[in-house]
Amino acid sequence: MSDQPSEASRPPEKPRGADTPRPPEPPAASEAVGTPAAGEPGPSEARTAGAPPVDTAPPAPAQTSDGRRQRAQAAQQAGRPGSPWQHGAGAPVAKDDGMTARIRPPAPPLIRPAVLGSVLATALLSALLLGDGLGVNLLIVAVPAALAAFFAAQAAGRRLRPWTATWAVGGLALLAVPALRDAGWPTFLAVVSAFALGSLALHGSRSWPGVLIGSLGLFDSVVPGIIWGVRGIRARAGGSRANWGATVRTTAVALVLLVVFGTLFASADAAFAELLGSLMPEASVGEGPWRTLLFALGLAGALAAAHAAAAPVRWDGLTVRPGKPRGRAEWALPLIVLNLLFAAFITLQLVVLFGGYDKVRDVTGLSHAEYARQGFWQLLWATLLTLLVIALALRWAPRGGTGDRTLVRSVLGPLCVLTLVVVASALRRMDLYVDEYGLTRLRISVAAMELWLGVVLILILAAGVFGARFLPRAVAVSAAAGVLAFGLISPDGLIAEQNVQRFEDGQSTSIDIDYVKDLSADAVPALDRLPEPERSCALRIIQNDVLHDDTPWYATSWGEARAKEILEKRPVKGDGSDCYRVGREGTRDGYEPDDDGYDPY
């Protein structure tokens, strides 16, 4: 339906003569307000030049109301400064400064064939290698996904920056932990951290919201990445079907040649057949749904990485408003009181901890280990709460000038230093407890957490001196480095080593077989030094898992391969019947052992 009046309702047009006066031009303001859209009749089209107003047919009531509504909307838009819809003469076009406009990037360029090839390689490797466990296969799958992101960023004109390279190298280094260690808990931490660093590499965040949200920002690119890939495939297929047909034919011929000649060579040489069988992944028809799911996950993940590299969401556009500055006395007095409390506590700690075992018993009435276990968790929570207090104090700190900055540094600096002493006290307590009862997974984990909190406090102190520009990224780097170091030191191997060393040195009359037998294959080199029957009792379950496992090479860690080699040379002895009383005497883990027995199997 057209909004223009019909021919029957229009008056007959008169030819414009020389003696006909020209109607006056409308003012600029009315032109800006009443400018009609393209294809719609303006006021001058309702009558011809020189025609008297009485000859003009009156508009219909519906058209009159529509015209009034349009003029009212136009006037409202004209009175609204900086409206993006205002395109009249001389009206400035304002930019959208909303949050979505700040963080959303422009559309990425058309996906390139190199990106598509890398994405397809990632999906195929995911389906073939990731179905049997985690090992070096995770690193193998990550390489083509990283190449897809690199090619996409290159097509979009993005340059490789130092921090981007740092995140990328750190993420790939973290994926080496599953290839080296058999323990599942440090592997899980390493994989999660590698994902976070990879997302940061793609988004290039630097602020606190950018680093925190950007580490999970890859999830935001999953659906746009799939849509981007589908559109790219349609565009490529529609423009060059001959090239796609040649690619399919070439791939099919190569696969046929590999299958035919590979089968002939495998049947001709048993050694080559064994090598080929160990290299090729095993897949059955029953695993079809699982392999299909892995293919889809690899495809979606690689497309998300490539899309984020080509058009990253600018999470740094999310800003947090600073809190209202407080007065100097109102802000500083509670923190000064907290500093005095910390100083009093630390003074007592120095007297007790360095006074020796007799001093601990005289002051507290507790044994050395009981005293250490009692206060560690409280000190850990005190450290976490202190970091929260520092963050809130910086939010509401006075920001008047040089004097306020000096006040903030003079109050928060001593608080950070005193908290570092609390961290040292907590680690000292854990050291005393480990000397008494040995090392466990929980103890080594919380000790590593407390140590990392100390590193964060040092970074905060450095930010107070040199500036806080790099603090968010420095904290993220320290966390990733801590996870990498935690995985490389082999926590299960370290636990077994410490407990075996205490047993060899006579610090413990027995070793806790109930605990060490549940460690991973990383503990085998240390447990192999135990005398019999402790050695066989500690390694029996691990041997059953290692020697009877047919995991392929790409899903086998170096720790598991080393354990298998040791146990093949020196298998466990006996049937486990003599393991009932081994490691059951005395105290275990700081508590009396249960009186009921346990099933060695």
Side-chain angles (χ1 to χ4, degrees), residues 3-157:
D3 294 332
Q4 297 181 358
S6 62
E7 294 295 333
S9 63
R10 288 187 179 183
E13 296 183 353
K14 296 181 181 180
R16 179 180 299 175
D19 55 346
T20 304
R22 178 182 295 271
E25 295 291 337
S30 62
E31 186 177 65
V33 174
T35 302
E40 296 180 358
S44 61
E45 296 181 18
R47 64 178 184 270
T48 57
V54 295
D55 293 340
T56 304
Q63 295 175 352
T64 303
S65 61
D66 291 341
R68 290 176 181 175
R69 188 181 300 110
Q70 292 176 1
R71 286 194 298 270
Q73 293 177 355
Q76 184 179 5
Q77 292 175 0
R80 186 181 303 163
S83 174
W85 303 104
Q86 186 175 349
H87 297 296
V93 180
K95 296 181 180 179
D96 186 6
D97 293 331
M99 182 184 66
T100 303
R102 291 198 306 267
I103 66 175
R104 288 296 172 186
L110 185 66
I111 190 169
R112 287 189 173 183
V115 179
L116 288 174
S118 300
V119 168
L120 183 60
T122 305
L124 290 175
L125 291 174
S126 299
L128 294 175
L129 302 182
L130 295 184
D132 301 301
L134 296 182
V136 71
N137 51 1
L138 201 58
L139 189 59
I140 295 175
V141 171
V143 170
L147 289 177
F150 174 77
F151 293 143
Q154 193 177 43

Side-chain angles (χ1 to χ4, degrees), residues 473-510:
R473 290 181 287 187
V475 171
V477 168
S478 67
V483 172
L484 179 60
F486 190 72
L488 293 181
I489 65 172
S490 181
D492 276 10
L494 190 61
I495 292 169
E497 177 67 30
Q498 199 269 350
N499 284 277
V500 170
Q501 188 65 42
R502 291 179 68 251
F503 180 74
E504 293 176 345
D505 295 342
Q507 298 180 7
S508 177
T509 58
S510 62

Side-chain angles (χ1 to χ4, degrees), residues 46 57 109 217 220 278 287 304 306 316 321 356 401 414 425 462-463 489 516 520 573 590:
D220 186 73
S278 62
E287 295 180 349
D316 285 334
R321 294 181 179 180
S425 176
I489 65 172
V516 298
S520 65
K573 300 178 181 179

Side-chain angles (χ1 to χ4, degrees), residues 158-428:
R158 295 185 65 189
R159 295 181 300 171
L160 182 64
R161 300 181 180 274
W163 274 105
T164 303
T166 301
W167 301 131
V169 172
L172 293 177
L174 283 166
L175 292 181
V177 174
L180 297 176
R181 304 302 173 209
D182 180 59
W185 54 301
T187 295
F188 173 78
L189 292 176
V191 172
V192 172
S193 301
F195 176 86
L197 261 64
S199 184
L200 287 175
L202 297 173
H203 293 88
S205 304
R206 64 181 65 185
S207 63
W208 280 113
V211 170
L212 294 177
I213 304 178
S215 60
L216 302 174
L218 196 58
F219 289 110
D220 186 73
S221 300
V222 173
V223 175
I226 295 175
I227 297 174
W228 178 56
V230 170
R231 290 176 178 174
I233 291 176
R234 287 179 178 177
R236 298 289 181 183
S240 56
R241 294 184 178 180
N243 294 335
W244 282 100
T247 303
V248 172
R249 290 192 299 270
T250 303
T251 304
V253 171
L255 289 176
V256 170
L257 292 176
L258 285 175
V259 170
V260 172
F261 285 95
T263 303
L264 290 175
F265 290 150
S267 60
D269 192 314
F272 182 79
E274 183 179 357
L275 176 63
L276 192 63
S278 62
L279 292 178
M280 295 298 295
E282 297 181 2
S284 60
V285 179
E287 295 180 349
W290 172 237
R291 302 287 180 176
T292 304
L293 177 61
L294 291 175
F295 180 88
L297 290 177
L299 187 70
L303 283 174
H307 184 272
V313 179
R314 297 183 290 268
W315 297 110
D316 285 334
L318 299 176
T319 57
V320 179
R321 294 181 179 180
K324 181 180 180 181
R326 306 297 178 180
R328 293 185 179 182
E330 180 186 0
W331 179 84
L333 185 59
L335 297 175
I336 292 175
V337 173
L338 184 61
N339 282 338
L340 294 176
L341 178 62
F342 269 66
F345 176 79
I346 289 170
T347 302
L348 182 61
Q349 290 295 295
L350 296 177
V351 172
V352 174
L353 289 179
F354 294 101
Y357 177 79
D358 295 334
K359 185 67 175 179
V360 171
R361 176 172 292 179
D362 294 340
V363 174
T364 63
L366 302 174
S367 66
H368 215 169
E370 290 173 343
Y371 177 75
R373 175 166 53 88
Q374 183 188 48
F376 175 80
W377 294 104
Q378 289 85 342
L379 295 182
L380 177 62
W381 279 107
T383 306
L384 290 171
L385 291 176
T386 303
L387 291 175
L388 178 61
V389 168
I390 293 173
L392 295 177
L394 290 174
R395 177 173 174 81
W396 288 301
R399 296 181 291 271
T402 305
D404 289 336
R405 290 195 296 269
T406 303
L407 176 65
V408 171
R409 292 176 180 177
S410 61
V411 173
L412 294 184
L415 182 59
C416 291
V417 174
L418 293 173
T419 309
L420 280 175
V421 180
V422 172
V423 170
S425 176
L427 293 175
R428 175 59 178 163

